[in-house]
């Protein structure tokens, strides 16, 4: 099977590619903006992987990228939730318009299925009661969430008009190997990295914010079951199914690493929903129990990777 990963050299894409390449009948094309992003995958010298540099903008030659592809994973995003409200019009053009151009090309080139990584953390907003099910009203408070919803609606539209098959995965907060520990995304990975280096950890608010965290291996396993499975549903939440506070993460990181953490608490942000965790019953009723690993084990695995990868 020919599989295209758009925006595939990042955290999720790298882990997804490594899993997909285990099946030799899969041929993976990873597309991303910067040639330097491919260094790890190219170092693996996998015979069924090729890397292609592209702008990931509406100016790309989509027909050439999609030629012969069976499944397309849409992992592209030019923004993150915390800064997406600063340039709303530009972000909508870069992400939603880009996606419309992509889907037009998918129809032309006969792509079998499009898989979109949406956001379980931002599409629902702050008004709803947790756990958040797929039919919860969607009222995002960030442009990032609006963009994700816009792309979801485009997928429905192209299915309605042209029969283009799709899956939408509203993913919680994944963490683990290959996530960049720069503090922009990924509290668990960033806190673990900074703790290992005895650096100060910045926390917005008082640590009471609650999120749904899922180790990347569990997320990838869930994604592949959704993509490969049969169901009348096309949109699935994917997370641990329970909430964990930022304060609890800090305590667990300190416990696992046996370290005192230097934490600096900053003023809270308006873009941070106080409590957000997902109802994953639809996934489990369709594909079986997810049984994600616990936070302690996930932090231990993440720390092992960081110590090796960054020579800490």
């Amino acid at each position: 099977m020919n599989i295209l990963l758009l925006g595939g050299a990042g955290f999720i894409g790298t882990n997804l590619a490594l899993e997909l390449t285990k099946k030799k009948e899969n041929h993976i094309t990873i597309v991303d903006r910067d040639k330097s992003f491919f260094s790890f995958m190219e170092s693996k010298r996998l015979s069924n992987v090729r890397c292609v540099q592209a702008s990931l903008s509406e100016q790309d030659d989509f027909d050439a990228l999609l030629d012969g592809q069976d499944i397309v994973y849409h992992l592209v995003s030019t923004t993150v939730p915390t800064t997406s409200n600063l340039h709303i019009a530009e972000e909508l053009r870069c992400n939603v318009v880009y996606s419309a151009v992509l889907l037009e090309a998918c129809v032309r080139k006969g792509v079998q299925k499009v898989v979109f990584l949406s956001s379980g953390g931002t599409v629902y907003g702050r008004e709803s009661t947790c756990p958040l099910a797929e039919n919860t009203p969607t009222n995002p408070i960030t442009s990032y969430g609006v963009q994700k919803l816009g792309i979801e609606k485009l997928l429905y539209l192209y299915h309605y008009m042209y029969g283009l098959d799709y899956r939408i995965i509203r993913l919680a907060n994944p963490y683990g190997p290959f996530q960049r520990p720069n503090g922009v995304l990924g509290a668990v990975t960033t806190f673990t990295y900074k703790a290992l280096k005895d650096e100060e950890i910045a926390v917005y608010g008082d640590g009471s914010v609650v999120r749904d965290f899922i180790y990347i291996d569990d997320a990838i396993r869930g994604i592949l079951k959704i993509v490969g499975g049969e169901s009348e549903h096309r949109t699935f939440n994917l997370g641990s199914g329970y909430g964990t506070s930022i304060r609890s993460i800090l305590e667990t990181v300190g416990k696992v690493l046996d370290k005192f953490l230097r934490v600096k608490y900053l003023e809270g942000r308006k873009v941070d929903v106080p409590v957000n965790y997902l109802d994953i019953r639809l996934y489990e009723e369709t594909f079986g129990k997810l049984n994600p690993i616990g936070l302690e084990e996930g932090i231990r695995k993440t720390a092992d990777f960081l110590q090796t990868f960054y020579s800490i």
Side-chain angles (χ1 to χ4, degrees), residues 66-100:
L66 296 170
D67 192 35
Q69 299 296 335
D70 300 308
I71 296 180
V72 172
Y73 283 82
H74 182 343
L75 311 175
V76 179
S77 180
T78 64
T79 189
V80 295
T82 53
T83 59
S84 66
N85 287 353
L86 299 177
H87 307 286
I88 292 176
E90 178 66 13
E91 297 294 356
L92 288 170
R93 185 187 66 77
C94 290
N95 293 286
V96 180
V97 174
Y98 167 86
S99 298

Side-chain angles (χ1 to χ4, degrees), residues 69-292:
Q69 299 296 335
D70 300 308
I71 296 180
V72 172
Y73 283 82
H74 182 343
L75 311 175
V76 179
S77 180
T78 64
T79 189
V80 295
T82 53
T83 59
S84 66
N85 287 353
L86 299 177
H87 307 286
I88 292 176
E90 178 66 13
E91 297 294 356
L92 288 170
R93 185 187 66 77
C94 290
N95 293 286
V96 180
V97 174
Y98 167 86
S99 298
V101 176
L102 167 65
L103 295 179
E104 290 280 352
C106 286
V107 172
R108 284 196 305 272
K109 301 303 291 186
V111 169
Q112 295 175 16
K113 186 181 295 181
V114 177
V115 182
F116 176 55
L117 266 289
S118 188
S119 169
T122 64
V123 298
Y124 296 111
R126 63 182 298 145
E127 306 298 331
S128 303
T129 302
C130 291
L132 301 160
E134 288 84 353
N135 60 359
T136 299
T138 50
N139 295 295
I141 60 172
T142 65
S143 169
Y144 183 88
V146 171
Q147 294 161 35
K148 295 293 188 183
L149 278 179
I151 297 168
E152 288 188 16
K153 296 301 184 185
L154 282 173
L155 285 160
Y156 176 85
L157 179 62
Y158 276 80
H159 173 70
Y160 176 79
M161 291 194 303
Y162 304 111
L164 178 63
D165 197 8
Y166 68 91
R167 295 293 181 273
I168 293 166
I169 298 161
R170 289 178 176 169
L171 187 61
N173 296 273
Y175 68 94
F178 300 106
Q179 188 172 38
R180 297 185 181 101
N182 56 13
V184 177
L185 285 173
V188 177
T189 302
T190 297
F191 294 172
T192 303
Y193 178 77
K194 288 186 176 295
L196 287 169
K197 298 192 72 177
D198 296 312
E199 295 179 355
E200 184 178 80
I201 297 171
V203 172
Y204 290 94
D206 62 2
S208 63
V209 166
V210 171
R211 292 289 182 269
D212 188 336
F213 298 96
I214 181 170
Y215 188 67
I216 187 62
D217 288 358
D218 295 321
I220 297 300
R221 177 164 51 87
I223 289 168
L224 293 178
K225 283 196 173 185
I226 292 169
V227 175
E230 295 294 329
S231 173
E232 63 182 13
H233 301 284
R234 287 187 168 82
T235 300
F236 291 90
N237 284 339
L238 184 60
S240 68
Y242 60 88
T244 304
S245 71
I246 296 298
R247 191 179 297 116
S248 293
I249 292 174
L250 291 166
E251 291 171 357
T252 308
V253 168
K255 176 184 175 182
V256 170
L257 302 183
D258 192 23
K259 281 180 173 287
F260 172 79
L261 306 187
R262 295 191 296 117
V263 182
K264 180 180 181 181
Y265 290 94
L266 307 173
E267 184 179 354
R269 302 175 296 195
K270 289 185 177 181
V271 297
D272 287 329
V273 175
V275 180
N276 177 288
Y277 60 95
L278 301 178
D279 185 335
I280 61 170
R281 283 180 295 176
L282 179 59
Y283 171 89
E284 294 195 323
E285 288 167 0
T286 307
F287 304 108
K289 286 291 185 181
L290 181 62
N291 294 323

